[in-house]
Amino acid sequence: YVADSTSIEASEWAITEFLAKFAKDSGAEQVHVLAHSMGNRGLLRAMDRMVTHAAEYSGVKFGQIFLAAPDVDATVFNQLAAAYPRVSERTTLYIASADKALQASTWLNGFPRAGLHPPVTIVEGIDTVYVPFANLMSTFELDHSYFAEGGTVLNDMFDLVRTNRAPGDRQRITQKTTTTGVYWEMAP
């Protein structure tokens, strides 16, 4: 875990350069990005770097950005995540309470993770979707890959790529409100 954390930090510049070059040179109408767990650390810094150095990365725009179970300090996420709406058509943050890997990371790091509920991480311009159901197919019972092992979240991602509909217009999602703002809850 510590080695992975160091590796992702050392890779932030390379992630930025790869994503920017791919988005500009791929010939694709849209490039969608999915980051899982610690990969969100590198993506968060890459997007912040693109916004901070806008002249260097002008013209880089992504379609959907999916942030699945981010193993990122929630405070750091809140400070840097404003970059996502500036470089994407829509950004969706998937969070869960049953994610044992993020529970362990919270304990190890001493700070809440952006992908763990509670608390609910809410950033303006990002759709936070709480996935309350446990991962029925989890091999190691960490419930950390819930987004990819069940059809509900994958269907939501597929719908977003096809239609870019707001959460309130998508299936199985209902609006919730907390003192910090609005988020969405997914039904199984």
Side-chain angles (χ1 to χ4, degrees):
Y1 182 85
V2 175
D4 290 342
S5 182
T6 302
S7 292
I8 198 71
E9 190 174 310
S11 302
E12 291 168 4
W13 182 85
I15 293 168
T16 306
E17 292 302 307
F18 170 78
L19 287 172
K21 183 168 178 41
F22 188 80
K24 283 184 175 181
D25 299 343
S26 70
E29 289 181 30
Q30 286 190 315
V31 173
H32 305 291
V33 179
L34 167 63
H36 176 245
S37 192
M38 205 178 285
N40 279 281
R41 293 183 194 182
L43 183 63
L44 178 64
R45 301 278 183 185
M47 296 301 161
D48 181 62
R49 181 172 283 148
M50 285 183 199
V51 169
T52 303
H53 303 287
E56 184 179 345
Y57 297 104
S58 66
V60 175
K61 187 82 171 175
F62 299 93
Q64 302 295 323
I65 295 180
F66 302 106
L67 311 174
D71 186 359
V72 177
D73 179 286
T75 301
V76 171
F77 185 87
N78 283 321
Q79 292 168 348
L80 301 179
Y84 285 117
R86 295 177 64 186
V87 296
S88 72
E89 186 173 71
R90 180 178 303 280
T91 300
T92 305
L93 166 65
Y94 292 99
I95 64 173
S97 56
D99 191 322
K100 292 171 188 67
L102 290 184
Q103 292 169 4
S105 180
T106 296
W107 175 82
L108 182 66
N109 289 291
F111 296 99
R113 312 324 281 165
L116 190 62
H117 170 286
V120 178
T121 301
I122 297 174
V123 175
E124 187 176 334
I126 296 176
D127 300 326
T128 298
V129 178
Y130 171 50
V131 183
F133 45 90
N135 201 357
L136 301 175
M137 300 173 66
S138 180
T139 308
F140 299 106
E141 298 182 15
L142 290 176
D143 296 324
H144 190 52
S145 298
Y146 61 87
F147 74 98
E149 293 178 347
T152 308
V153 178
L154 289 174
N155 285 336
D156 189 56
M157 291 178 177
F158 179 73
D159 188 34
L160 277 166
V161 168
R162 283 185 29 244
T163 67
N164 187 35
R165 291 189 297 179
D169 296 331
R170 300 196 312 259
Q171 294 180 3
R172 300 180 177 162
I173 296 180
T174 57
Q175 183 175 326
K176 301 292 181 181
T177 304
T178 182
T179 56
T180 57
V182 171
Y183 69 102
W184 305 89
E185 185 172 317
M186 182 173 283

